[in-house]
Amino acid sequence: MELHDIWFVLIAVLWIGYFFLEGFDFGIGVLTKLLARDRKERRVLINTIGPVWDGNEVWLLTAGGATFAAFPEWYATLFSGFYLPLLIILLCLIVRGVAFEYRAKRNEERWQTNWENAIFWTSLIPAVLWGVAFGNIVRGVKIDADMEYVGNFFDLLNPYAILGGLVTLFLFTFHGAVFAALKTAGDIRVRARALAIKLGLATAVLALGFLLWTQAASGDRWSLAALIVAVVALVAAIGAIAKGREGWSFTFSGLTIVAAVAMLFLTLFPNVMPSSLNEAWNLTVTNASSTPYTLKIMTWCAGIATPMVLLYQSWTYWVFRKRIGTQHIADAH
């Protein structure tokens, strides 16, 4: 296996990690409107991700940086062609981070309501747009012989990509509902379990349609195996949450995301960004990669830094592992 193949796999792992962690993160943000009945319950939900949301976003920064260094042609074409949706995602992530920090700075009703609305919308919009973006990457976009995107924004709003956006929205919200059931106590935990079942069933219908469409268009036996794992894991997650086994349900919902994202990358390889105009103009792991020397240096740096990051983030989740409920929220806040 060449170094550019290894880095394709590593970038896939980074995106899998990002969607696994930021998935329930976005889901909690959406659930602040769907699940919480009052401000105290919204604060409970926000506090479940309060210590970890910023660490989850490190995976996105690392994935973007790794793509820039390992596959500069892929990075250039992706960020120029998908400029508007990626800019919207970036603005949402900025506003979302500010909302988490500033929501409790003042006690006025309007102030806190506005920031809570911001958390909801800046969680929902990226959850949709990430699915649209990856749907277009897998489907292929208008790339010419100079490796430049020659389409427009509306070319990205095709049925396959829109379905992908709906899948990520429902899957992340389901993942978040399971996480909420795992991390909360009391009545909100019971309602989170009930909502997770409904979300899981809707997610199963959408995800099955999207994954089967993907398999029929560009799949092979490896992507088919990933599809089967994703479907079985999603069914197991729904069954586990129905029985009140939140830990197992979260494990299986996470496995669903891992298998589904892995399937998308399996259907891509050896391409990194197919051209819908001419297969000869596809960006591949070969023609879009950096020099072997650059990839070699990156491999050494990643080998040293990655275990440290994983250990620190695992320690963070361990420290903040206990459940919280409305009884832990002070009334006088």
Side-chain angles (χ1 to χ4, degrees):
M1 182 179 285
E2 301 287 342
L3 277 177
H4 50 65
D5 298 327
I6 294 174
W7 272 98
F8 178 85
V9 174
L10 291 176
I11 288 172
V13 170
L14 289 171
W15 280 110
I16 288 171
Y18 173 67
F19 287 137
F20 178 92
L21 296 172
E22 194 83 308
F24 70 76
D25 203 323
F26 286 144
I28 290 293
V30 174
L31 290 172
T32 57
K33 294 292 184 184
L34 300 183
L35 179 63
R37 290 177 173 173
D38 52 33
R39 171 147 296 120
K40 183 173 284 191
E41 289 192 350
R42 283 193 290 274
R43 287 167 57 195
V44 168
L45 291 177
I46 292 171
N47 286 353
T48 62
I49 60 172
V52 299
W53 68 266
D54 49 355
N56 295 344
E57 292 184 358
V58 171
W59 289 76
L60 173 62
L61 299 175
T62 308
T67 304
F68 171 77
F71 299 99
E73 295 292 349
W74 184 13
Y75 183 92
T77 304
L78 176 64
F79 278 77
S80 60
F82 292 23
Y83 180 81
L84 183 56
L86 291 178
L87 177 62
I88 293 172
I89 290 173
L90 177 61
L91 291 175
C92 284
L93 295 180
I94 292 171
V95 173
R96 188 168 180 264
V98 173
F100 282 133
E101 298 298 331
Y102 275 74
R103 178 187 56 84
K105 295 297 184 182
R106 291 166 59 181
N107 292 328
E108 288 86 346
E109 178 79 15
R110 184 175 180 182
W111 172 272
Q112 296 197 358
T113 298
N114 287 339
W115 286 120
E116 288 167 359
N117 288 336
I119 290 172
F120 171 77
W121 287 108
T122 56
S123 298
L124 185 147
I125 293 172
V128 174
L129 290 182
W130 279 127
V132 172
F134 271 83
N136 278 291
I137 292 173
V138 173
R139 174 179 176 269
V141 293
K142 295 179 179 180
I143 300 174
D144 64 12
D146 296 322
M147 299 184 180
E148 294 182 0
Y149 178 72
V150 294
N152 57 55
F153 173 74
F154 295 101
D155 290 329
L156 304 178
L157 301 179
N158 54 80
Y160 176 78
I162 292 174
L163 178 58
L166 291 175
V167 169
T168 51
L169 173 61
F170 275 81
L171 181 56
F172 291 169
T173 309
F174 168 67
H175 195 40
V178 174
F179 182 76
L182 178 65
K183 289 289 292 179
T184 59
D187 182 60
I188 192 172
R189 175 189 178 189
V190 176
R191 285 186 281 113
R193 286 204 304 248
L195 181 58
I197 296 172
K198 298 176 183 178
L199 289 169
L201 294 174
T203 301
V205 174
L206 292 170
L208 183 61
F210 179 74
L211 296 179
L212 287 175
W213 192 344
T214 304
Q215 179 65 26
S218 53
D220 57 17
R221 68 180 186 276
W222 296 109
S223 61
L224 178 60
L227 185 155
I228 294 171
V229 171
V231 172
V232 172
L234 181 55
V235 172
I238 298 171
I241 196 67
K243 294 180 179 179
R245 304 294 297 274
E246 293 104 338
W248 280 108
S249 182
F250 183 73
T251 300
F252 285 124
S253 66
L255 180 58
T256 302
I257 294 175
V258 170
V261 179
M263 178 187 175
L264 297 183
F265 278 94
L266 285 168
T267 59
L268 266 180
F269 188 80
N271 299 315
V272 293
M273 204 166 179
S275 171
S276 60
L277 301 177
N278 190 328
E279 289 187 2
W281 299 341
N282 289 353
L283 297 184
T284 68
V285 293
T286 303
N287 64 19
S289 68
S290 293
T291 63
Y293 183 68
T294 300
L295 296 177
K296 185 176 181 180
I297 293 176
M298 289 177 60
T299 304
W300 278 105
C301 293
I304 296 172
T306 301
M308 297 173 60
V309 173
L310 291 175
L311 285 172
Y312 172 76
Q313 195 162 21
S314 300
W315 176 78
T316 303
Y317 276 92
W318 174 256
V319 169
F320 295 100
R321 66 188 181 277
K322 291 186 178 181
R323 295 178 182 272
I324 61 172
T326 54
Q327 67 273 21
H328 300 119
I329 305 297
D331 292 328
H333 178 73

